[in-house]
Amino acid sequence: MGRGTRRDVMLGGAAALAAGPRAFAAESDAVYFGGPILTMDDARPRAEAVAVRGGRILAVGGRDEVLAKAGRGARQVDLGGRALLPGFVDPHGHVSFVGLQAISANLLPAPDGEGNSVAELQRVTRAWIEANRPFIERYKLVMGFGYDDSQLREQRHPTRRELDEITSEVPVLFIHQSGHLGVANSKALEAAGISAATPDPQGGVFRREPGGKEPNGVMEEHAFMGVMVKLLSRLDLDANLKMIAEGVKLYTSYGYTTCQDGKSSSGGVKALQLAASRGMLIADVVAYPDVMTATDVVVPPLLGRSYQNRLRVGGVKLSIDGSPQGKTAWLSQPYFVPPEGQSAAYAGYPAIPVDQCLAAIDKAFANGWQILVHANGDAAIDVLIAGVREATKKHGPGDRRPVLIHGQTAREDQVDACKALGIIPSFFPMHTFYWGDWHRDSVLGPVRAENISPTGWALRRGMMFTTHHDAPVANPDSIRVLSATVTRRTRSGDILGPHQRVPVEVALKAMTIWPAYQHFEEATKGSLVAGKLADFALLSQDPTAVDPEKLASLKVVETIKEGVSIWRG
């Protein structure tokens, strides 16, 4: 099939989506061939062709065999040498929050933005203000996302006074790339009711001016979250629906056919439901509401294994600590270089009291909810392990698949404990690229930094693990996830923990079949097997055939959901 015909097929796919289920099924019938097909199925790792009928995989195997099963009427799609893989499954991210990033000023440092100094953050934000006057007039808010003090020339956070220089007339909120810290200008602090008399909340800190109590604008954890929630409450339903649609769209541009919305609020789930009912979700979304504040939406039919208009609630999310690059993660040993104003003994802190963490894990087990637990520091991981161990003793064995989210500083004994307890580690190997140098030189020191995101330890124990991007902490960039997992190259070119690298084939499983298992969806997703959904990612080259050091240059050229193209580059 020539390129012109293939383009007609893609346009026809979009029309089929609009026309309804019957047209969708007819348009999705096809045979794909002419390029490497990586199935992620151990019984048949590669194939010459894949046939699709009615949105599901009809056959996988040799070209002649598959064409015969598909019949003469099936469209034939020539891959032109490009690689076909299962659609990527997101084991941890925040798709709604990705939409917030999409409508904010881009403060990310290179290579994803231009935010490499305070002056550049100010310049980028001023340009965003000029381009977004209607938004600012409607919502009385200026937002910037993605600044990273570790990459700023000043090697510090900007302050409220530096944000006041951008504008003192409208609240300005900068969100740190970790999503765990932020900076507010004076107008934003005033709007949120924050002053010198405001105490630090439990599990959070308002940083202060030197020698006084006046907030300097920098906020950590629950202090930041409280201010952010107050300011974002200005956004109306239209803005929230736009954020959801933009977030899902960005995910699909990186080959994801299943997205996650981790730590959803009750209102966030309701907005997702509305978006789903309006047909705005072009990929599947699995939500995990906050177990501390949003269990009112953890109810059938949305809670379950079946999607309702491409949305379901998969369980609950618990956050025990914060961010290692932001130096709020809870460690058992002190930070290599403590943050400003802290002593040499500083080791971070829990986001919520330990007894509440243990009670939340027990609650999930008692209700039969899968629980995903954010634990970056090894002290936080100890709490997760203790909670799962005690809850298992109390409630008995079962197929619950609890998940350790991030596990950045997991010790080797903790990896052993995860295996023994059936805890699936979902690691964040992109840290090796984005913050590997920072971890080595400032956060953890050269010894501990070698073992962040210890995929090698998990592999050598025969464990299933998954790898994520935690978008919008990083872009939902599947290729960067793959490259970082395989190479562990830092921004400076160092290899951080070569013994933790894994082969490309393993890294791909951690993005496809293993996260499908994590989501209890291994029967329908994650590998190219007859009967499963025809969810595909089409890459520019075969990732197993290129130099591992060049993996980052691969491109996602098309994303296909149930046989229909939903994104094309």
Side-chain angles (χ1 to χ4, degrees):
M1 177 176 288
R3 284 187 178 273
T5 306
R6 193 165 184 278
R7 175 173 170 78
D8 293 341
V9 167
M10 296 311 119
L11 294 174
L17 279 172
R22 187 169 298 175
F24 176 96
E27 190 59 41
S28 70
D29 294 359
V31 176
Y32 296 85
F33 63 91
I37 296 175
L38 284 62
T39 68
M40 301 301 120
D41 175 22
D42 288 340
R44 189 200 295 264
R46 289 179 176 267
E48 291 181 349
V50 174
V52 174
R53 178 174 294 167
R56 289 187 177 264
I57 298 172
L58 172 67
V60 181
R63 180 176 173 181
D64 292 343
E65 167 199 1
V66 169
L67 283 170
K69 289 185 178 179
R72 292 182 178 180
R75 291 179 301 121
Q76 297 186 34
V77 181
D78 189 342
L79 297 173
R82 293 168 294 185
L84 186 72
L85 288 78
F88 297 122
V89 178
D90 175 25
H92 182 64
H94 311 269
V95 69
S96 297
F97 207 32
V98 170
L100 175 63
Q101 179 185 20
I103 64 172
S104 301
N106 178 14
L107 306 182
L108 291 168
D112 302 315
E114 301 175 359
N116 286 90
S117 71
V118 171
E120 287 170 335
L121 297 180
Q122 293 173 322
R123 176 184 59 77
V124 167
T125 308
R126 290 187 184 110
W128 183 88
I129 290 172
E130 287 304 313
N132 290 274
R133 289 291 180 185
F135 178 93
I136 296 166
E137 289 172 8
R138 181 169 180 174
Y139 300 114
K140 304 296 187 292
L141 180 62
V142 172
M143 300 183 299
F145 187 95
Y147 86 90
D148 183 358
D149 56 308
S150 76
Q151 300 302 313
L152 293 178
R153 215 160 282 134
E154 295 83 356
Q155 290 284 285
R156 62 168 175 80
H157 294 264
T159 66
R160 71 177 171 91
R161 299 189 188 282
E162 288 166 328
L163 270 61
D164 286 344
E165 292 173 8
I166 300 170
T167 177
S168 59
E169 298 176 358
V170 180
V172 178
L173 179 68
F174 279 7
I175 301 172
H176 190 265
Q177 190 173 1
S178 68
H180 287 259
L181 303 93
V183 189
N185 73 343
S186 298
K187 198 74 172 178
L189 291 173
E190 176 187 328
I194 307 302
S195 69
T198 305
D200 290 342
Q202 187 175 57
V205 173
F206 290 107
R207 296 189 184 178
R208 314 283 174 165
E209 299 281 4
K213 293 290 187 181
E214 194 69 26
N216 74 355
V218 181
M219 306 163 289
E220 300 177 6
E221 299 298 337
H222 283 185
F224 162 65
M225 302 294 180
V227 170
M228 180 176 68
V229 167
K230 287 183 181 178
L231 293 175
L232 293 187
S233 67
R234 298 176 176 219
L235 302 182
D236 57 18
L237 181 60
D238 288 345
N240 279 279
L241 291 177
K242 180 182 179 181
M243 283 163 47
I244 290 168
E246 289 296 321
V248 174
K249 181 181 177 182
L250 186 60
Y251 263 77
T252 63
S253 72
Y254 290 106
Y256 285 94
T257 50
T258 300
C259 317
Q260 190 187 103
D261 198 59
K263 202 178 180 180
S264 310
S265 65
S266 294
V269 171
K270 291 170 184 175
L272 281 166
Q273 279 186 284
L274 182 58
S277 71
R278 293 183 178 182
M280 298 172 70
L281 304 184
I282 60 174
D284 289 338
V285 176
V286 191
Y288 286 83
D290 188 339
V291 69
M292 305 302 295
T293 62
T295 56
D296 60 304
V297 293
V298 187
V299 292
L302 204 53
L303 171 67
R305 305 284 185 251
S306 299
Y307 286 89
Q308 312 288 319
N309 299 313
R310 298 212 183 285
L311 174 68
R312 72 181 181 91
V313 169
V316 292
K317 171 82 180 295
L318 169 67
S319 294
I320 295 180
D321 69 344
S323 157
Q325 72 269 35
K327 299 187 179 180
T328 58
W330 186 23
L331 305 175
S332 63
Q333 300 297 319
Y335 280 87
F336 192 62
V337 178
E340 181 182 353
Q342 297 290 348
S343 73
Y346 173 80
Y349 49 87
I352 56 176
V354 170
D355 60 340
Q356 292 184 26
C357 295
L358 298 175
I361 295 170
D362 181 78
K363 181 177 182 179
F365 274 56
N367 283 281
W369 299 334
Q370 184 187 28
I371 186 165
L372 279 56
V373 181
H374 168 121
N376 262 312
D378 61 331
I381 297 169
D382 278 334
V383 175
L384 163 62
I385 290 168
V388 171
R389 182 177 287 123
E390 289 306 309
T392 301
K393 287 180 182 177
K394 179 177 178 182
H395 300 287
D399 186 15
R400 300 184 179 94
R401 304 184 195 180
V403 181
L404 164 60
I405 297 295
H406 307 321
Q408 287 290 355
T409 62
R411 305 185 306 265
E412 201 161 4
D413 65 289
Q414 292 176 323
V415 177
D416 287 331
C418 285
K419 180 177 182 180
L421 292 168
I423 298 171
I424 300 171
S426 185
F427 293 124
F428 195 176
M430 288 170 84
H431 262 254
T432 57
F433 174 75
Y434 283 107
W435 298 285
D437 298 316
W438 179 243
H439 285 309
R440 182 194 61 226
D441 300 337
S442 185
V443 178
L444 299 169
V447 177
R448 283 182 292 174
E450 289 284 302
N451 293 313
I452 63 168
S453 296
T455 51
W457 285 346
L459 176 62
R460 284 188 283 280
R461 284 160 174 77
M463 295 172 66
M464 192 182 298
F465 63 87
T466 65
T467 54
H468 61 257
H469 43 66
D470 198 23
V473 173
N475 283 330
D477 188 341
S478 57
I479 303 303
R480 181 67 70 184
V481 174
L482 176 64
S483 173
T485 307
V486 173
T487 69
R488 295 180 67 94
R489 286 280 181 192
T490 71
R491 291 177 191 260
S492 70
D494 187 18
I495 297 177
L496 196 66
H499 57 287
Q500 299 290 6
R501 292 180 294 185
V502 301
V504 175
E505 293 82 358
V506 171
L508 288 170
K509 285 186 176 182
M511 301 166 64
T512 53
I513 186 60
W514 290 348
Y517 177 88
Q518 177 187 303
H519 281 318
F520 289 88
E521 295 188 63
E522 71 274 16
T524 56
K525 296 178 180 176
S527 62
L528 305 184
V529 175
K532 291 193 175 187
L533 295 176
D535 291 357
F536 306 141
L538 185 59
L539 306 188
S540 56
Q541 292 176 268
D542 179 352
T544 68
V546 303
D547 180 346
E549 295 293 343
K550 296 181 180 179
L551 282 170
S553 67
L554 294 177
K555 303 293 182 185
V556 175
V557 296
E558 190 173 351
T559 304
I560 296 166
K561 175 68 179 156
E562 295 173 38
V564 173
S565 180
I566 57 173
W567 183 87
R568 190 180 182 196

